[in-house]
Amino acid sequence: MTDPLTVFLVPAGHDRFELYSEAPDESPTSPAQNDRVFRQWAHRASVRWHALVEVARHGSPVGRLARWRDRVVSRLAETIAEQRTLWALRDQSSVVLRTPSSLETARVRAILEALLAHARSHHLRWLIIDLILFTVSGILFFVPGPNLVAYYIAFRLVGHLQSWRGARQAMEAIAWTFEPDPGLAELASLVDVPRETRAPRVAAIAERLKLPRLTAFFDRVAVPSS
């Protein structure tokens, strides 16, 4: 029997929290031969987007335009990757949620329910928008060269679909177990501390939690009080 997935409730500012985990990267799943043409096309575009991301991260671009393109592709890929916590919830039946130890259980449950409800409506809305944009982007099929727009929109479309499914599963079927964590409570106290000053303490918390990418995530989402 495999251990349940562990997700972290990361403080991101005054009364703001984000769900976080370091789920592994997912490669696009090949569609069945009897799948509809749209799904097969979306799969091919998603595969090409993955290939573009690999080139952007590990290639050797020549010229200013190529370097700019690779930076944009890499940044977009990082943004999409933050949805992987929701993706990982799609097939789960039980999940452990590590929470700041300063929060009471009732408060944690209310925060979790609000985050999941927002995620479900947000990703459904963008799923519909990206479906329309992806259809329109087919016009660029006749433009020579890689159709970056279509590849990106297709990958976003698949990502929003998986995120919506994960949020729905989390709200309707997952049994949640809450585990207070003093490290996350300490992280909450660092939101208003300047990034350079807090960096060693955030890194130490990330090391204790065995989350090597937590520092970069926290720096992106933390919003100091005004």
Side-chain angles (χ1 to χ4, degrees):
M1 183 176 179
T2 58
D3 293 333
L5 174 70
T6 298
V7 174
F8 298 81
L9 187 65
V10 175
H14 177 67
D15 207 28
R16 293 183 64 250
F17 299 87
E18 299 284 346
L19 295 176
Y20 180 74
S21 69
E22 296 195 356
D25 291 350
E26 291 190 8
S27 299
T29 304
S30 299
Q33 289 184 346
N34 60 349
D35 278 342
R36 294 180 177 179
V37 173
F38 171 78
R39 184 171 180 182
Q40 294 179 3
W41 186 24
H43 168 74
R44 289 195 298 271
S46 184
V47 168
R48 289 167 183 163
W49 172 254
H50 273 281
L52 287 170
V53 172
E54 284 299 307
V55 170
R57 288 174 172 170
H58 306 297
S60 301
V62 177
R64 183 178 301 175
L65 181 60
R67 289 193 293 272
W68 175 82
R69 178 204 62 203
D70 287 355
R71 284 197 298 270
V72 170
V73 169
S74 296
R75 184 65 188 94
L76 291 173
E78 288 177 8
T79 301
I80 295 172
E82 291 177 3
Q83 299 179 27
R84 287 202 175 95
T85 295
L86 289 173
W87 298 2
L89 296 175
R90 300 189 316 266
D91 303 315
Q92 303 295 321
S93 58
S94 61
V95 174
V96 173
L97 181 66
R98 302 275 288 275
T99 70
S101 56
S102 54
L103 295 178
E104 296 181 355
T105 299
R107 177 66 178 138
V108 169
R109 190 171 299 279
I111 292 170
L112 176 62
E113 291 175 353
L115 287 172
L116 293 174
H118 171 76
R120 185 169 64 173
S121 61
H122 170 82
H123 290 292
L124 178 59
R125 180 171 65 252
W126 277 104
L127 174 62
I128 295 170
I129 293 171
D130 283 343
L131 181 59
I132 296 170
L133 292 175
F134 182 69
T135 303
V136 173
S137 71
I139 298 171
L140 299 177
F141 175 80
F142 299 101
V143 178
N147 190 345
L148 296 177
V149 175
Y151 300 164
Y152 170 60
I153 293 175
F155 190 55
R156 272 178 53 100
L157 191 156
V158 173
H160 285 302
L161 173 61
Q162 306 291 48
S163 295
W164 173 76
R165 290 178 58 204
R168 183 182 63 173
Q169 175 75 2
M171 294 183 71
E172 298 178 356
I174 288 178
W176 291 87
T177 300
F178 302 149
E179 291 186 356
D181 190 292
L184 293 173
E186 182 183 356
L187 200 61
S189 70
L190 298 176
V191 171
D192 291 326
V193 177
R195 181 177 299 186
E196 296 76 12
T197 305
R198 75 189 183 203
R201 293 176 63 187
V202 174
I205 294 170
E207 184 175 2
R208 290 201 302 271
L209 296 176
K210 297 181 173 59
L211 298 172
R213 298 195 293 273
L214 176 62
T215 299
F217 176 79
F218 183 70
D219 286 342
R220 282 199 298 275
V221 303
V223 178
S225 303
S226 57

